[in-house]
Each structure stands twice: as C-alpha cells, then as structure tokens.
Amino acid sequence: MSSGETQRFWPRGAATGVGSMPGIDAAEAAAVVFGELPEFPHLPELPARGVGADVIGRAAALLVDLAVEVVPSGYRVTARPGRDHRRAVDLLRWDTDAVTEVAERSRPSVVKTQVAGPWTLAAGVELPRGHRVLTDEGALRDFTDSLVEGLAAHVTELADRTGARVVVQLDEPTLPSVLAGALSTPSGYGTVAAVPEPRARELLGTVVEAARAATGCPVVLHCCARRPPVGLLHASGADAISLDATLLRGAPGALLDEIGEAWDAGVTFLLGLVPSVEGEVRPELKELARPAFDLVDRLGFARETLAERAVPTPTCGLASADNDWVRRALSLARDLGKAFVEPVEGW
C-alpha cells in the first residue's frame, strides 16, 4: 500500500491515540476519544479494570477455539473458557457497545482498533507446563491462526456496527525482548532463546497480511520501546509504524537509517509526541512538535513530510493520566496534526 493509498484512510493533519485510556467507564472513554479525535478515533482500552482488560487479556478475548486463565505467574492456556476468559470477552463486548453508541452520533469514516501482535501474545501466555507459547512451534502456530481468525471477526463486527473502515494496530511491546533472548524461563534462572529476526519477520508478516486482507485498510505496527526494531517492522509489511518520538534523542545512526528508509518507502509514522502524564509545567505546542521536526531535519526530509506521512499521538501510558490531562493530551495531539499541515510562523 503506497503512501498516497494510506493517506486516503484518514485526513491530512489527523491525530489518534495509542489505545489505552484511564478509568473503568467504557462509555466515558469512548465519548472522550471520539470527541477529541473525531477524524481518527480508536477503540479505547481500559487496563485499570484488571484481568482481561490488559494487552494480553484483550487479545485472548479474540482467540477462536483457544482459552486462557489467570494463574499466579500470569495468563495460561486452559482446556475450556472459564471465568477469566469470559471476563475478557465481556469487557471487549462492552467496549464495542460503547463505541457503537458514540459512532451512531459522530459517524466516523475510520476507526482504529488495537490488539497484541503474535509475538507479544505468545510471550505473554504460558503453556500448561509453564513454558511460554513462543517456545513451542506448534502452539505458536495455533495461537497465531486463532488470533488471525478472531481478529477478522472483530474488525468485521466493528465495521458493521460503526459504519467505519477499521484500521488494525498490532501492539508488539515485547518484540525487542523476544529478539534479544531477554525473556525469563519458568524457573526464573534462565532466559528463553532469542527468536531469529527472519522468523520474527515471517510470522509478523503473516498476521499483517491477514489483517490487511480482512480490513482492506492500512495495518499499523506499534512498539513503544526506546529502540524499536523499525527495520523489522517495515520488512514485515507494515503500512504504518507507531513509536515514541520523544525517545529518539540520541538514537543510534542505524535506527535513524531504518526510520529514513521506511519513510522514504512510503510508510506512515504515528509519532508519540504528547506526554502521557502531565508534568509540573504544561508544554507549549512548539515544544511538543520539536522531536518530529528534529527527526525530519536529521533525516533530510522536507518538513511537509509530516503533513503527508505522520500522525501525532500521545506517548504510551495514557492509562495513568487523570481525566483533565487525558482530554488535554488528545486535544494537543489534534493541534499538532493541524500544525503539521499549516506550520505556525516562526517554527
């Protein structure tokens, strides 16, 4: 999907959110998101609700013919859906209901939904003996197939109920640890073997392709790590890559090269620019935009690139914000999008 094709799905100057929101009220969260981000709203996630509402629980709610339960060490595969799995399914249904109600009034043209990518999901769920799903090739394949099937059903329902096109964002916060072999074994005394990049790229690419086929829309790959594997995300077929632009100061040249190559190839970047938690001094818009302008300047791109192939977002962690700041953060992201299209004099 070319940059021009990607751009058609949301307006120039649009802003969006990463996914998580504070609180436990799905209706309130949906109203805030659709009110502050009318051009590119997203299905809110409310991890403060606990089991089933976090990134792994949300993905588990989509699984077909697979179920999980909660044990002291986290999520584990179980033979049949129990209370924990049903809770995750219920939470997703309530969130979808809340978005449907708001969408009936606002009539969005596009909605984004987020789900854990295959590597983060497989790293976050244990097999019955305690080993992570990603350590068993057969289990990894089953989970990936199940996720793809459930995700297709989810986006079809969301599109039918909102009347909007659905953009899928695959969250891969654990991918750097998977690639580095930094995940612990059940005993806690060792680490899981690193997954080779070609294998990681292959599996991720399979899910990206399936998500794009199910939606007909661009697919976003999101990684909020300080040094996200942008080259791998790009090679996996991502139409857009979401990262925390505030963490790129001092980034190694290799990472900047990967970002430049992806941008040059037409990939859109969702840039985390607005702090997820309010500081002592509220930042000015120019200060918030600085990491984005510095990035294009360092890479040698015209600043107009931001208007064509960048979408501002808050940084990860908005679930920890208070209600006043979350509205302000989303509003600031929207203002940044407008400033990318029509830069303020003197910037």
Side-chain angles (χ1 to χ4, degrees):
M1 189 172 290
S2 69
S3 60
E5 290 174 325
T6 301
Q7 184 63 56
R8 289 188 295 106
F9 291 89
W10 51 78
R12 293 172 78 247
T16 191
V18 174
S20 64
M21 292 282 287
I24 60 174
D25 188 327
E28 179 182 4
V32 171
V33 167
F34 279 68
E36 299 296 339
L37 303 171
E39 295 180 320
F40 197 0
H42 64 278
L43 181 70
E45 303 168 33
L46 303 174
R49 294 177 298 186
V51 172
D54 58 294
V55 65
I56 301 300
R58 174 58 64 94
L62 297 177
L63 295 175
V64 177
D65 296 329
L66 286 173
V68 301
E69 62 181 350
V70 176
V71 296
S73 55
Y75 286 97
R76 180 172 292 180
V77 180
T78 186
R80 60 185 62 84
R83 179 184 60 186
D84 298 329
H85 193 93
R86 289 194 297 269
R87 173 175 168 78
V89 172
D90 286 343
L91 290 172
L92 177 57
R93 184 175 67 251
W94 297 337
D95 293 347
T96 304
D97 288 345
V99 163
T100 300
E101 184 174 342
V102 177
E104 288 176 352
R105 300 190 298 269
S106 60
R107 303 287 183 178
S109 61
V110 60
V111 172
K112 179 166 68 72
T113 188
Q114 307 80 215
V115 63
W119 291 110
T120 292
L121 177 62
V125 178
E126 299 176 353
L127 295 168
R129 294 185 178 180
H131 295 279
R132 300 175 191 267
V133 167
L134 65 80
T135 64
D136 184 299
E137 190 64 31
L140 177 60
R141 183 172 56 251
D142 290 344
F143 263 74
T144 301
D145 291 345
S146 180
L147 177 64
V148 165
E149 184 177 351
L151 181 58
H154 169 60
V155 298
T156 297
E157 179 186 9
L158 193 57
D160 288 345
R161 295 181 62 174
T162 63
R165 293 169 294 187
V166 179
V167 171
V168 170
Q169 175 181 301
L170 298 172
D171 293 328
E172 284 287 8
T174 314
L175 181 57
S177 295
V178 170
L179 296 170
L183 297 172
S184 63
T185 56
S187 69
Y189 293 107
T191 56
V192 176
V195 173
E197 285 202 16
R199 176 57 179 142
R201 181 177 64 246
E202 176 189 20
L203 185 70
L204 192 53
T206 297
V207 179
V208 168
E209 183 177 351
R212 188 184 298 116
T215 64
C217 292
V219 176
V220 182
L221 289 180
H222 169 241
C223 182
C224 55
R226 176 168 292 276
R227 298 293 178 253
V230 171
L232 188 152
L233 300 179
H234 176 207
S236 298
D239 302 298
I241 295 173
S242 174
L243 50 78
D244 188 336
T246 70
L247 299 178
L248 294 178
R249 182 188 294 263
L255 175 56
L256 295 177
D257 288 345
E258 291 177 356
I259 293 173
E261 289 173 6
W263 233 337
D264 195 45
V267 172
T268 294
F269 276 83
L270 278 61
L271 300 175
L273 294 167
V274 182
S276 56
V277 179
E278 183 179 11
E280 294 183 3
V281 179
R282 290 198 172 188
E284 296 186 3
L285 200 62
K286 181 179 180 180
E287 180 185 346
L288 295 176
R290 180 54 51 198
F293 287 131
D294 287 348
L295 180 61
V296 292
D297 291 347
R298 290 178 67 185
L299 294 175
F301 290 111
R303 290 191 172 182
E304 289 77 10
T305 301
L306 295 172
E308 298 298 331
R309 279 178 281 141
V311 176
T313 74
T315 59
C316 285
L318 205 59
S320 300
D322 61 38
N323 290 333
D324 289 339
W325 178 248
V326 72
R327 290 178 181 273
R328 178 67 175 149
L330 297 181
S331 176
L332 285 168
R334 187 176 71 244
D335 290 344
L336 282 171
K338 294 175 182 177
F340 285 171
V341 176
E342 298 180 5
V344 178
E345 186 175 354
W347 284 22

